[in-house]
Amino acid sequence: MTALTTAIAVQLPSLSQCALRKLILAPCSDLCQPSPGLALPPDYQMKLPSRALCPQTGRDCGINVHKQCSAAVPNDCKPNLKHVRKVYSCDLTTLVKAHNTTRPMVVDMCIREIESRGLKSEGLYRISGFSDSVEEVKMAFDKDGEKTDISVDAYEDINIITGALKLYLRDLPVPIISYDAYPRFIEAAKIDEPEKRLEALREAIALLAPSHSETLQYLMVHLKRVALHEEHNLMNAENLAIIFGPTLMQAPDMDAMKALNDIRYQRQVVELLIKKEDVLF
């Protein structure tokens, strides 16, 4: 621990919550201006970081906080829309709380658009949309939120909308199947007996935060509808699982060999979630 973090750790308990929030939650200048009562080195200067994670959940809370100070952020902090500056790359729970919704508007809007005109599109989710157009949709959501126009008049190619949805899911700082629940999903996939495997999956789903489980269920219902149109779109549950496995599930550690070995179990998990969504949720 550096002298700076030691000083912060020692001094924070004596600060009022108001003073604490002024110290750690104010992205108001290029340099942090700490409370005058804080015993910091005279030459102290620290550039504000981009984001810090909630100390309890490990999630992005939508506001700028020093990493050294993040452990002192109140655990019941509720994000304010003015602090949530974007949609993509924002923590899922943060986004739904800030907008007072059940699921992220990106997921709802993209799925509604896809189901209204794309379920019979060959190679749905497998074929990539033009990357510049996908990036354009991303920037539009970040700027305009639910006012973003993703209609056929704006984007005729449905693969641009599927690409925008996949990009949103990939960009989440905490995946839909969160890091803490990930091992339980992998363990469930390794169970041979079908009923026990399903029960293990139910228990794993119960570990997810409400916003994550709601979004996962909504997505699985949608992907099941996609698979029901396999005759036209050539996308069955297995094909969709190959695409969405690595998108929805990421190994919590960076061990390359373990991540490689887990790929087949990720596919099995997502395939089961699609096929059995009616009994798992």
Side-chain angles (χ1 to χ4, degrees):
M1 182 179 287
T2 65
L4 171 60
T5 54
T6 301
I8 291 175
V10 170
Q11 293 292 327
L12 281 179
S14 64
L15 294 176
S16 67
Q17 182 165 326
C18 178
L20 173 63
R21 294 183 71 84
K22 285 180 181 178
L23 166 65
I24 63 177
L25 302 184
C28 56
S29 67
D30 291 334
L31 296 177
C32 174
Q33 301 297 325
S35 168
L38 205 62
L40 296 176
D43 60 346
Y44 165 68
Q45 284 189 337
M46 180 193 298
K47 288 185 180 296
L48 285 168
S50 55
R51 290 282 174 84
L53 299 181
C54 168
Q56 183 175 25
T57 65
R59 299 190 181 106
D60 178 353
C61 63
I63 43 184
N64 291 324
V65 184
H66 297 135
K67 288 183 179 179
Q68 288 92 334
C69 302
S70 63
V73 179
N75 291 332
D76 59 351
C77 183
K78 184 174 181 179
N80 187 307
L81 270 175
K82 70 180 181 180
H83 292 307
V84 181
R85 297 184 179 87
K86 56 184 178 178
V87 172
Y88 279 68
S89 301
C90 180
D91 171 68
L92 194 155
T93 299
T94 297
L95 192 66
V96 299
K97 281 188 176 182
H99 291 270
N100 195 28
T101 58
T102 305
R103 296 176 299 270
M105 94 279 287
V106 178
V107 175
D108 280 6
M109 290 176 62
C110 287
I111 286 179
R112 281 200 301 267
E113 191 65 28
I114 292 162
E115 293 194 350
S116 71
R117 60 184 173 100
L119 287 177
K120 294 183 178 180
S121 177
E122 184 175 330
L124 191 68
Y125 286 112
R126 178 177 55 80
I127 297 175
S128 300
F130 186 48
S131 60
D132 285 356
S133 297
V134 172
E135 187 66 24
E136 186 179 282
V137 173
K138 171 186 174 179
M139 290 190 293
F141 270 117
D142 281 341
K143 179 184 177 185
D144 301 323
E146 61 188 13
K147 296 179 181 178
T148 301
D149 182 9
I150 56 172
S151 67
V152 66
D153 294 331
Y155 300 99
E156 184 178 356
D157 183 4
I158 196 64
N159 298 311
I160 293 171
I161 310 305
T162 60
L165 176 57
K166 289 188 293 183
L167 179 60
Y168 171 77
L169 297 172
R170 284 198 305 271
D171 276 0
L172 286 172
V174 178
I176 295 291
I177 294 179
S178 52
Y179 296 121
D180 56 347
Y182 178 92
R184 295 288 291 274
F185 280 89
I186 295 298
E187 289 168 12
K190 295 178 180 179
I191 298 173
D192 293 327
E193 206 280 308
E195 283 305 316
K196 289 183 178 179
R197 188 190 307 131
L198 288 178
E199 183 57 35
L201 275 176
R202 288 191 197 96
E203 292 173 0
I205 291 169
L207 297 175
L208 299 175
S211 58
H212 284 245
S213 59
E214 285 281 352
T215 304
L216 181 63
Q217 180 180 7
Y218 190 69
L219 184 60
M220 293 304 107
V221 171
H222 164 64
L223 294 180
K224 192 169 187 177
R225 290 196 192 105
V226 172
L228 289 174
H229 291 79
E230 178 189 357
E231 180 182 353
H232 301 282
N233 60 38
L234 308 181
M235 298 299 291
N236 58 26
E238 182 179 359
N239 293 336
L240 291 166
I242 291 171
I243 294 167
F244 280 91
T247 301
L248 301 177
M249 303 179 69
Q250 297 171 28
D253 54 56
M254 299 302 291
D255 188 304
M257 187 57 68
K258 178 175 171 26
L260 191 62
N261 291 335
D262 280 357
I263 288 177
R264 67 186 179 116
Y265 296 117
Q266 292 172 355
R267 178 189 60 76
Q268 291 172 14
V269 166
V270 176
E271 185 177 354
L272 270 172
L273 290 173
I274 295 171
K275 289 181 174 179
K276 301 293 185 179
E277 57 80 21
D278 55 332
V279 297
L280 286 172
F281 294 93

